[in-house]
Amino acid sequence: MSFEGEQYPGVQAPPGETEGFRLNHTMLRVKDPEAALGFYTRVFGMRVLRRLDFEAMQFSLYFLARPEAGETVPEETGERTVWTFSQRGVLELTHNWGTESQEGRIYHDGNAQPQGFGHICFSVPDLEAAEAWFDANQVEFVKRSDQGKMKDVVFVKDVDGYWIEVVQADRLSALGD
Amino acid sequence: MSFEGEQYPGVQAPPGETEGFRLNHTMLRVKDPEAALGFYTRVFGMRVLRRLDFEAMQFSLYFLARPEAGETVPEETGERTVWTFSQRGVLELTHNWGTESQEGRIYHDGNAQPQGFGHICFSVPDLEAAEAWFDANQVEFVKRSDQGKMKDVVFVKDVDGYWIEVVQADRLSALGD
């Protein structure tokens, strides 16, 4: 029998009406797209699938993902837009035009008050290698893997100050025990 | 030649050090896990892959996903934890014990000031059917598909007030043109 999900108060079996629903992306506002794109493409190896510009509303959206080996991203832009909105694990960065000229960080990370959103998380094959890579790129750490109560869990900040958790999946089998 | 990503100032080619990096999950704090699990399992058809309890720090984490047809989720909990942290498109809900007894919504959605995080997004096969499903479940709308400047894009709120965008991928081929 296949796994049907852990059961807790409130949990319901997936209704048929939700067939084909897919968690596609998470949107974060960024101050300076050049800095944010530099960070996510270099430090986390993401690619820009699509930029969408909305002149009337004065903003641009950048959709980033890290296509897996064997996945073919369509070249044609319309097809690529449809493909982008059909995937899982996409990051959308919103740039409100003109914010890049402001001083310092301008967006709220959700971990300071008022709280809400906490972080995004990347899974990596080798946590120490990833930490060394972050150091080589002068990435700001919130917590290293040997610090705090949760060992084997790293938190860094992106250029806007959002928290990024970084884990190595096969080291977490006993987490929460 | 395969698609290498759109090129903008700041964009770099994915370095070899990022091989195997994968955007695994997004974390949102929720006030009442029974209400949040009821919402995400019923309205969006997600399943609880793992709950992790941290007694010393007085919080629990719930990891939810909507496994695709053909994907086999491991039954054994340790293997299932590793599997959970190896996927894309996972939603992590954090429950700080005791918040469920507070009145009203207690978390910040990131769209009111101070801004930061914007939304998560689900892709669905049929946008009108999804809207009817949300109505049948008394889901609160921010914007319906026929409202506002961006047609074919729906925004609803989850039980904590976070925004969820809902799109039908094959209707968005001309978006941004």
Side-chain angles (χ1 to χ4, degrees):
Chain A
M1 206 190 85
S2 65
F3 175 73
E4 294 295 333
E6 295 185 355
Q7 299 302 314
Y8 302 106
V11 169
Q12 298 190 39
E17 288 87 345
T18 65
E19 196 63 42
F21 284 24
R22 189 175 283 170
L23 185 53
N24 170 247
H25 72 248
T26 294
M27 187 278 263
L28 301 175
R29 294 172 177 87
V30 300
K31 182 180 92 164
D32 180 345
E34 182 168 348
L37 294 174
F39 179 86
Y40 281 105
T41 60
R42 176 171 175 80
V43 180
F44 285 93
M46 303 188 89
R47 294 180 186 187
V48 182
L49 300 177
R50 279 295 274 136
R51 178 175 79 181
L52 301 174
D53 298 317
F54 297 87
E55 173 94 35
M57 295 178 278
Q58 301 273 296
F59 67 80
S60 296
L61 309 177
Y62 296 84
F63 292 88
L64 285 76
R66 201 185 193 304
E68 305 277 317
E71 283 181 343
T72 305
V73 184
E75 290 277 347
E76 193 276 319
T77 53
E79 287 175 36
R80 184 149 30 83
T81 305
V82 172
W83 189 89
T84 297
F85 285 105
S86 307
Q87 304 306 303
R88 293 186 287 186
V90 172
L91 179 64
E92 176 186 5
L93 304 177
T94 293
H95 173 226
N96 291 301
W97 298 355
T99 53
E100 63 278 14
S101 62
Q102 296 181 41
E103 284 297 315
R105 286 177 175 161
I106 65 168
Y107 286 120
H108 177 64
D109 69 13
N111 296 304
Q113 295 295 337
Q115 291 189 318
F117 164 79
H119 59 259
I120 57 174
C121 174
F122 280 86
S123 175
V124 302
D126 182 329
L127 195 60
E128 276 76 23
E131 287 187 276
W133 174 242
F134 300 147
D135 277 326
N137 286 279
Q138 291 83 48
V139 175
E140 182 180 351
F141 278 81
V142 175
K143 167 191 163 338
R144 293 177 184 268
S145 61
D146 59 358
Q147 298 175 322
K149 288 181 184 158
M150 295 177 78
K151 303 298 178 203
D152 294 325
V153 174
V154 167
F155 279 93
V156 296
K157 288 188 184 184
D158 80 359
V159 288
D160 285 276
Y162 297 113
W163 291 23
I164 303 172
E165 183 180 11
V166 181
V167 297
Q168 180 181 330
D170 60 12
R171 281 163 63 162
L172 298 181
S173 62
L175 193 67
D177 285 354
Chain B
M1 208 189 84
S2 64
F3 176 73
E4 295 294 334
E6 295 184 353
Q7 300 301 313
Y8 302 107
V11 169
Q12 299 191 38
E17 288 87 344
T18 64
E19 196 63 43
F21 283 24
R22 189 176 282 170
L23 184 53
N24 170 247
H25 71 248
T26 294
M27 188 278 263
L28 301 176
R29 295 172 178 87
V30 300
K31 182 180 91 163
D32 179 347
E34 183 168 347
L37 294 174
F39 180 86
Y40 281 105
T41 59
R42 176 171 174 80
V43 181
F44 285 94
M46 303 190 88
R47 295 181 185 186
V48 182
L49 300 177
R50 280 293 275 136
R51 177 176 79 181
L52 301 173
D53 298 317
F54 297 87
E55 174 93 37
M57 294 177 279
Q58 301 273 295
F59 67 80
S60 297
L61 309 177
Y62 296 84
F63 291 88
L64 286 75
R66 202 184 192 305
E68 305 278 317
E71 283 181 344
T72 305
V73 183
E75 290 278 348
E76 194 275 320
T77 52
E79 286 174 35
R80 186 152 25 87
T81 305
V82 172
W83 189 88
T84 297
F85 285 105
S86 305
Q87 304 306 302
R88 293 186 286 185
V90 173
L91 179 64
E92 176 186 6
L93 303 178
T94 293
H95 173 226
N96 291 302
W97 297 356
T99 53
E100 62 277 15
S101 62
Q102 297 182 39
E103 284 297 316
R105 286 177 174 160
I106 65 168
Y107 286 120
H108 177 64
D109 70 11
N111 296 303
Q113 294 294 337
Q115 291 190 316
F117 164 78
H119 58 261
I120 57 174
C121 174
F122 280 85
S123 175
V124 302
D126 181 330
L127 195 61
E128 276 75 24
E131 287 187 277
W133 173 242
F134 300 147
D135 276 325
N137 286 280
Q138 291 83 49
V139 174
E140 182 180 350
F141 278 81
V142 175
K143 166 190 165 338
R144 293 177 184 268
S145 61
D146 59 357
Q147 298 175 322
K149 287 182 184 157
M150 294 176 79
K151 303 300 179 202
D152 294 325
V153 174
V154 167
F155 280 93
V156 297
K157 289 188 183 185
D158 80 0
V159 288
D160 285 277
Y162 297 113
W163 290 22
I164 303 173
E165 182 179 11
V166 181
V167 297
Q168 180 181 329
D170 59 13
R171 282 163 63 162
L172 298 180
S173 62
L175 194 68
D177 284 355

